[in-house]
Amino acid sequence: MWRRAKWKEHDALRWGDEVEYLVVAYDDDSRRVNLSLRQADILATLARDDELQRGLGNDDQLPVFHPEFGRFMLEATPRKPWGIGFKDLLDVEPNMKWRRTIAKDHMAPNEYPVTLTTFPRLGTKGVFTDPYYPVAGDKLRSQFVPDEVANPHIRFPTLAANIRSRRGRKVEINVPVYRDKNTPWPFMDPTVDYDLHRYPEDDDVRSGAVKENCIYMDAMVFGMGSCCLQITFQAKNITEGRTLYDQLSPLGPVMLALTAATPIYKGFLADTDVRWNQISAAVDDRTPEELGEKPLKNNRWKIPKSRYASNSTYISQDPRLRQEYLDPNLVIDRDIKQKLLDGGMDDLLATHFAHLFIRDPLVIFSEDLMRLDLEKTDHFENLQSTNWQHMRFKPPPHDGSTGWRVEFRPMEIQITDFENAALSVFIVLITRAILSFDLNFYIPISKVTENMEAAHARDAVLTQKFHFRKNPFPSRPLRAFASDTSGTSSPGQGFSRPPSPFIPVEDEYELMSIDEIINGQQKVGDEAGFPGLIPLVENYLNSVNVDVETRCELARYLNLIQKRASGRLWTGAKWIRNFVQEHPEYQNDSVVSDGISYDLIKAVEKITKGEGRDKGLGKQMLGRVTVGPSE
């Protein structure tokens, strides 16, 4: 695969987005809302729609719908990738709205596709799915959810069962509960049944799995049943792909905090705002030896992170990548690394893949073991796709249909299509600025890990500071720009880079607020401070040919990002938390009841449709930034 793809060049600069939905079903008579488990029926109805399959005269951007881990989830993508022209950027929002409309049109009248990260009452006592299933099942072995909440395709329940089997116990998810004035303290999750004796793993709760002052969950669906917004970029070659992987990595925790939208788990307000660590725990297959709880005997390594975690490597052959940025204690399979080196791979990339391959495969289909087909990449993808880091470096598939790709994975899904489009466009513009201005966001990879933890704090966008590089500019004149007919720019013939005047690594970065990272620091004396990601994007837009109308449309998106970062507009997590706390049924005890959940989801649907125009609902999140120039 490496020998075939390493020289692949001149691929078009393209990108794609993935939007995930929770499908909910209302019971208006009883003021209840549940998760609809009709994923298969909805997808079948979409597949049978002849008019939709013909493309409605616009086949290029006809959306494609996919199943996800939760039987209550859908994923939607455009049929073909977006280009980097500004027309494509402005087409993203209406396309996202169209996808949701199509999905809704193929659902029951009482169903709706909402873009929330988690369902507020997944795993609570009582009914939370439609249809209802009693809590039981040999695959998840959960005391909170039935096996039927997972997609029935053999891969998904097998994945869950194999993670549990490899661990030797169920997954253990403990989320700090939000302490309100009437919350019992110390808090011990009242939904846990300590007297359950169906499976050997039921002993987990009697052996310390449940942590004090935490919401406890025990199944993969509590993580992989979460929705997110992911963006994938195709680079023109492997060098550009490696650059994007490295330079986007430090931005991951910043965008996680900025998009925070997950303040509720299992019917309780949490004291965190994002989903990341919960998913990490939900797929953590490490054994007690790999966790360091027991001496190594049957396993080869102590592994510091779950297979769903922040990046642990940088991979670009950029001379600005200093040895001090790398993890000196990175766990790798040295035998695999040597084989990769012997095959002609460079040390950085060989180290990256040798780190990914310390993991065991989680699902193997028997037919794949019958014959090894070196023309295919199935076995590689089996391991690659179950290493869920916040960035993913993706080699071309065996058929050469696409090039080297980079996937940006940390962002939380947002309530409205406007917000999801704004974030997608912003990340695309950041990549253009990185490549055009040769920007440098390197910080030690250990600080990226610390930043990911900081992003979990309640209202982290305002309360936390993040390690970030002070000066992103190259130590040489910026390259000239060559504009193409699409209105985008590409670097012209550049100057050779002189040796960088290295200073101590710890002097290259400092703690910054999200506001300072996004909007820029104030100048202090002769120190200019970090310019800000939005000003960098604005400078990029100034350097290319953008008509006034397009610039005004893009300004709507950048305005949202600016105001979220400064706190003038709320994150989704803050809005949801406030909705619960202001609800007349709320007892100031951290409990999100059926009635509160019903009203919350109804409000989310109204905001999705009205985007702040329905009696100002959601204005704290959206303000008036959704109103375009034509309005």
Side-chain angles (χ1 to χ4, degrees):
M1 183 175 69
W2 164 250
R3 294 189 184 101
R4 180 177 63 243
K6 64 181 177 179
W7 304 117
K8 190 169 171 52
E9 285 273 354
H10 306 304
D11 285 301
L13 292 168
R14 301 188 295 178
W15 66 281
D17 67 86
E18 301 172 27
V19 174
E20 294 172 344
Y21 308 92
L22 301 177
V23 182
V24 297
Y26 296 112
D27 181 349
D28 293 327
D29 292 337
S30 60
R31 281 188 63 246
R32 294 180 64 96
V33 60
N34 295 314
L35 287 168
S36 170
L37 302 186
R38 293 197 326 107
Q39 177 195 85
D41 294 336
I42 295 167
L43 288 172
T45 303
L46 284 161
R48 288 195 300 267
D49 188 327
D50 293 336
E51 185 179 12
L52 184 63
Q53 295 309 308
R54 286 196 299 270
L56 302 175
N58 185 22
D59 184 65
D60 281 359
Q61 290 309 321
L62 181 69
V64 179
F65 293 90
H66 312 269
E68 274 291 339
F69 180 88
R71 200 182 292 197
F72 46 82
M73 301 171 71
L74 292 176
E75 178 187 280
T77 63
R79 181 170 295 276
K80 294 184 178 180
W82 301 107
I84 61 167
F86 292 111
K87 179 184 180 299
D88 279 13
L89 295 184
L90 298 186
D91 284 344
V92 173
E93 183 182 351
N95 185 271
M96 287 182 174
K97 292 180 187 294
W98 187 38
R99 287 179 232 172
R100 196 189 301 258
T101 298
I102 290 174
K104 169 56 187 165
D105 288 347
H106 293 78
M107 294 178 184
N110 68 322
E111 293 176 331
Y112 192 78
V114 296
T115 39
L116 288 174
T117 49
T118 58
F119 183 70
R121 291 185 57 79
L122 174 65
T124 56
K125 297 293 185 182
V127 179
F128 54 84
T129 65
D130 183 8
Y132 167 77
Y133 291 94
V135 175
D138 183 58
K139 298 300 183 183
L140 300 183
R141 298 191 180 184
S142 171
Q143 63 167 265
F144 306 114
V145 295
D147 275 4
E148 285 82 3
V149 297
N151 186 318
H153 185 282
I154 189 62
R155 180 178 187 272
F156 296 103
T158 303
L159 194 63
N162 287 354
I163 287 173
R164 189 192 66 252
S165 175
R166 192 180 187 284
R167 279 176 59 86
R169 52 190 168 179
K170 290 190 287 189
V171 294
E172 183 180 309
I173 310 165
N174 283 282
V175 183
V177 71
Y178 172 72
R179 185 179 184 180
D180 212 335
K181 63 183 180 180
N182 293 332
T183 304
W185 210 259
F187 177 90
M188 292 303 295
D189 191 330
T191 66
V192 176
D193 184 353
Y194 290 91
D195 296 319
L196 196 63
H197 294 276
R198 288 182 301 189
Y199 300 107
E201 294 89 347
D202 290 332
D203 285 340
D204 291 355
V205 298
R206 294 180 285 274
S207 303
V210 184
K211 306 306 181 188
E212 189 176 86
N213 301 328
C214 287
I215 307 159
Y216 171 71
M217 293 163 282
D218 66 352
M220 186 175 172
V221 72
F222 287 107
M224 284 303 191
S226 304
C227 296
C228 67
L229 172 67
Q230 295 177 179
I231 312 296
T232 300
F233 301 96
Q234 177 177 268
K236 68 179 181 181
N237 54 32
I238 187 173
T239 300
E240 186 172 273
R242 294 169 74 165
T243 296
L244 288 176
Y245 179 92
D246 280 13
Q247 297 304 328
L248 287 173
S249 287
L251 273 59
V254 174
M255 297 308 297
L256 177 61
L258 190 67
T259 59
T262 318
I264 304 174
Y265 276 99
K266 214 177 69 172
F268 297 102
L269 285 176
D271 205 34
T272 58
D273 271 2
V274 299
R275 79 201 187 285
W276 192 265
N277 281 351
Q278 284 69 265
I279 308 178
S280 177
V283 296
D284 191 353
D285 70 332
R286 289 176 294 171
T287 67
E289 291 180 20
E290 290 168 335
L291 286 164
E293 298 172 353
K294 294 181 179 180
L296 288 174
K297 181 180 178 181
N298 300 310
N299 298 116
R300 299 172 65 186
W301 306 283
K302 178 182 176 182
I303 303 176
K305 293 180 179 180
S306 166
R307 63 198 301 150
Y308 194 112
S310 60
N311 288 11
S312 296
T313 58
Y314 288 124
I315 62 174
S316 176
Q317 293 178 301
D318 189 327
R320 299 172 298 183
L321 175 57
R322 301 174 63 169
Q323 186 67 32
E324 296 95 323
Y325 300 154
L326 305 177
D327 180 358
N329 301 311
L330 185 71
V331 181
I332 63 170
D333 187 318
R334 297 192 179 280
D335 293 337
I336 287 179
K337 179 177 177 179
Q338 189 58 53
K339 288 180 181 179
L340 295 173
L341 291 172
D342 293 344
M345 189 177 288
D346 61 90
D347 187 83
L348 279 169
L349 202 55
T351 298
H352 170 76
F353 287 119
H355 171 64
L356 297 186
F357 277 50
I358 64 173
R359 313 288 180 174
D360 284 345
L362 290 176
V363 177
I364 298 177
F365 294 103
S366 57
E367 57 268 27
D368 291 335
L369 298 177
M370 301 301 292
R371 176 175 176 268
L372 178 61
D373 188 345
L374 296 179
E375 293 302 312
K376 294 185 179 181
T377 59
D378 296 3
H379 291 290
F380 169 79
E381 290 298 340
N382 191 19
L383 274 171
Q384 162 95 336
S385 65
T386 53
N387 272 276
W388 296 282
Q389 299 188 339
H390 82 271
M391 299 290 303
R392 182 177 283 159
F393 185 62
K394 305 172 75 169
H398 70 279
D399 62 4
S401 57
T402 56
W404 292 91
R405 291 149 296 151
V406 174
E407 190 174 53
F408 189 75
R409 301 171 42 80
M411 293 191 293
E412 308 246 294
I413 197 72
Q414 305 294 288
I415 290 175
T416 68
D417 299 305
F418 164 72
E419 295 166 276
N420 290 315
L423 291 162
S424 302
V425 169
F426 175 62
I427 294 299
V428 172
L429 292 175
I430 283 289
T431 66
R432 301 308 98 193
I434 287 170
L435 296 176
S436 295
F437 297 151
D438 201 17
L439 297 176
N440 176 10
F441 294 127
Y442 277 126
I443 59 174
I445 198 71
S446 62
K447 298 302 179 184
V448 177
T449 300
E450 289 181 26
N451 286 347
M452 287 294 280
E453 292 303 313
H456 284 73
R458 178 162 44 91
D459 216 13
V461 72
L462 297 180
T463 64
Q464 300 297 301
K465 292 202 171 184
F466 297 77
H467 302 283
F468 211 76
R469 190 176 186 88
K470 293 187 281 188
N471 179 10
F473 297 113
S475 57
R476 60 169 180 76
L478 293 179
R479 287 173 284 188
F481 294 104
S483 295
D484 62 27
T485 55
S486 69
T488 61
S489 73
S490 57
Q493 290 296 319
F495 305 96
S496 60
R497 178 182 290 120
S500 299
F502 284 158
I503 61 174
V505 167
E506 58 269 20
D507 293 337
E508 293 181 336
Y509 61 90
E510 66 183 20
L511 287 168
M512 301 183 198
S513 67
I514 296 288
D515 188 24
E516 290 173 321
I517 295 169
I518 296 295
N519 295 319
Q521 293 178 314
Q522 296 292 324
K523 182 176 181 180
V524 179
D526 293 332
E527 292 290 329
F530 182 72
L533 298 179
I534 292 287
L536 287 170
V537 166
E538 295 281 7
N539 283 341
Y540 165 72
L541 292 173
N542 289 340
S543 72
V544 293
N545 299 318
V546 187
D547 62 83
V548 173
E549 183 177 355
T550 298
R551 191 68 181 265
C552 289
E553 288 290 317
L554 294 176
R556 297 167 53 229
Y557 299 144
L558 300 183
N559 193 19
L560 174 75
I561 307 296
Q562 285 178 309
K563 290 182 176 179
R564 285 275 174 91
S566 68
R568 286 178 288 170
L569 291 178
W570 293 359
T571 63
K574 186 171 184 176
W575 184 87
I576 292 169
R577 189 183 300 277
N578 181 77
F579 183 95
V580 171
Q581 292 179 305
E582 295 295 319
H583 195 281
E585 292 182 19
Y586 182 63
Q587 301 297 310
N588 300 302
D589 56 359
S590 308
V591 174
V592 182
S593 66
D594 277 319
I596 296 173
S597 179
Y598 173 84
D599 289 340
L600 172 62
I601 302 297
K602 281 287 188 180
V604 165
E605 180 182 347
K606 287 181 180 179
I607 292 171
T608 301
K609 295 175 177 177
E611 295 185 340
R613 302 179 186 89
D614 189 342
K615 300 179 181 178
L617 189 63
K619 65 180 180 181
Q620 302 98 324
M621 287 187 297
L622 302 171
R624 288 188 55 80
V625 294
T626 63
V627 180
S630 62
E631 301 177 71

